[in-house]
Amino acid sequence: MEADAAAVAAVVAERLLQGCRSGRPLGLATGRTMEPVYRALAQRWAALPALERAVLGERWCSVNLDEYVGLPAGDPRSFRAFMMRHLARPLGLNPARLLLPDGAAADPRAEASRYGAHVAALGGIGLQLLGLGLNGHVGFNEPPCGPDSRCRALALSAATRAQNAEAFGGDPAAVPAEAITLGLAEILAAERILLVVTGARKAAILQRLLEQPPSQALPASWLQRHPAVCVIADRAAAP
Ligand code: GLP
């Protein structure tokens, strides 16, 4: 357990940098939890020797968990735009090396299959970064969800649309009704997983997650079956 969100961000940024050096695809997440994490990573990145920065940037490969369906390309509320703002621009990365599902694709189901196949063709994910939804989702794997779920398009729950309304002028109805997400199968296939949980509003769901056996009602609970999962929480979120 770390003291606060800034201390959590420092630890996670260090792990991400190690994950980057491993050469395997990084599994990345969006959300408010990740904003200080990417800020801390950008600070570390700026302090690297120029040559190492160039080498790591040249072979950068990251795969995001999810994207909203139906936002036009370039919409500032899309997860692609979030990753540009918080990661690609601060680190000076080539945007083409940051992979996300295309939420503007004409056929979201076909896009989900394409994205899942692309991740598999990359050999899967090395280090997977995860945030935690207030209803226990990871990525956008909404309850009920089993460990064999794969990359797919799905309807977002009312709870998730309310949780994410802030970026949509505070109106849950303005949050897209559907998203594309990697499934628990692809997440659980990652070599290592970092679940990052900060803030008092996450305390109750984190406690449930740590106490309950895996169940469909709590998608993140399947992470308990992974051999190399690490939960990094601050004092406010820790039970
Ligand atoms: C979002 C994302 C998740 C994210 C989670 C937590 O809906 N799909 O990948 O980790 O919910 O969000 P936040 O960090 O804003 O609490």
Side-chain angles (χ1 to χ4, degrees):
M1 186 185 63
E2 305 298 325
D4 55 22
V8 166
V11 171
V12 177
E14 198 49 51
R15 302 270 187 106
L16 283 176
L17 205 48
Q18 285 165 15
C20 219
R21 290 181 175 124
S22 79
R24 291 204 61 192
L26 282 178
L28 297 182
T30 52
R32 285 152 289 189
T33 311
M34 301 307 160
E35 292 179 14
V37 167
Y38 294 141
R39 264 200 305 277
L41 180 61
Q43 279 167 4
R44 276 170 176 63
W45 188 266
L48 293 175
L51 183 59
E52 184 177 16
R53 254 196 335 258
V55 169
L56 292 179
E58 186 72 21
R59 63 169 199 221
W60 183 276
C61 176
S62 61
V63 174
N64 265 71
L65 284 165
D66 46 17
E67 179 61 283
Y68 290 118
V69 165
L71 296 181
D75 188 300
R77 300 162 303 178
S78 68
F79 288 164
R80 155 77 55 194
F82 177 102
M83 295 307 291
M84 288 301 299
R85 254 188 331 269
H86 294 283
L87 198 68
R89 281 194 212 107
L91 271 62
L93 299 171
N94 175 354
R97 303 196 69 87
L98 279 72
L99 306 180
L100 289 93
D102 178 4
D107 181 348
R109 272 134 206 97
E111 170 58 11
S113 307
R114 182 204 66 78
Y115 191 67
H118 193 153
V119 172
L122 290 171
I125 292 161
L127 176 64
Q128 175 68 60
L129 181 63
L130 293 176
L132 181 63
L134 289 173
N135 65 353
H137 72 221
V138 283
F140 270 136
N141 290 284
E142 300 276 43
C145 185
D148 299 326
S149 60
R150 303 204 71 88
C151 189
R152 65 206 183 284
L154 81 179
L156 294 177
S157 68
T160 293
R161 294 174 81 196
Q163 181 186 339
N164 289 4
E166 195 181 293
F168 293 84
D171 178 10
V175 178
E178 285 190 18
I180 296 173
T181 184
L182 287 182
L184 286 172
E186 286 99 356
I187 292 171
L188 291 168
E191 194 177 317
R192 280 168 301 132
I193 295 177
L194 273 186
L195 177 68
V196 187
V197 192
T198 56
R201 70 192 184 118
K202 299 280 175 73
I205 190 70
L206 179 57
Q207 180 157 16
R208 271 183 65 199
L209 172 61
L210 297 175
E211 284 174 356
Q212 287 185 9
S215 84
Q216 299 229 1
L218 190 46
S221 63
W222 299 105
L223 299 175
Q224 294 171 21
R225 291 198 176 166
H226 193 277
V229 61
C230 176
V231 180
I232 303 189
D234 66 0
R235 199 171 287 138

